[in-house]
Amino acid sequence: MKKIVVLLFVVNFSYAQQTNRKLVWEENFDGKELNEKNWNFELGDGCPNCGWGNNERQLYTNQNHKITKDHLVITAKKEADKYTSTRITTKGKKEFQYGRFEARAKLPVGQGVWPALWMLGSNITEVGWPKCGEIDILEYVGKEPNMVFTSLHTQDSHGNTINTKKTRFDDIEEGFHIYAMEWTKDKIDFFVDDTLVYTFAPENKTEAVWPFNQPFYIIVNMAIGGNFGGPEVDDTILPQDFTVDYIRVYQ
């Protein structure tokens, strides 16, 4: 009986914490075009850090997306001998420190696709990566079906993906799912739908271990190939769409 009471208390406390939060920003993609008051396009092949630092194969354009039926749809294509896609960020426009960040999205599928919803520290221009910190709320690579990756990058890990979790969801490629991160001064929790998949809560929060005490901005993109998504790309699957219904921030 005591265990049941404790469980009910935890559930009720969690619900109270959730309901006490306020929605501070949302992007519902309900216009005719991407709202550039909130979003920037990042273009090209990433040079001088070519391949966007990961030997990715796509060129980013401002043409590989559309706003339709209140959704953002990023489309990866093979055009002649080039792969194209879109990458957008809220850098300098919408930046946040702490809170619940969630997106409802539908994944592309197939060998070579690499969609992501992630965040970078707003001081990246001053201190560089990985010192600025990186939070990967969602990464999916088509070469590993049914798997969702949630990760963090810091100076302590020299940018390597050691603070990470790969979680299997047999229906993840079917329809829309909610990908979320809850970030406080003490820890970061990652969720897929209602499932807690990973917690990062280091005890010794040095600058190199915990750069997550500053504002971060949001990035949405779909890469092709690269060190993580490739190297092989199945051209027969293209074009592929990464569809985002909404992004919300609660604090």
Side-chain angles (χ1 to χ4, degrees), residues 33-46:
E33 298 179 348
L34 191 70
N35 184 355
E36 294 190 50
K37 291 182 179 179
N38 294 334
W39 297 98
N40 314 291
F41 289 99
E42 294 194 333
L43 305 175
D45 59 7

Side-chain angles (χ1 to χ4, degrees), residues 42-47 49-56 58-60 87:
E42 294 194 333
L43 305 175
D45 59 7
C47 289
N49 192 19
C50 300
W52 298 94
N54 300 294
N55 294 311
E56 298 163 28
Q58 77 287 340
L59 292 171
Y60 284 125
R87 169 166 157 159

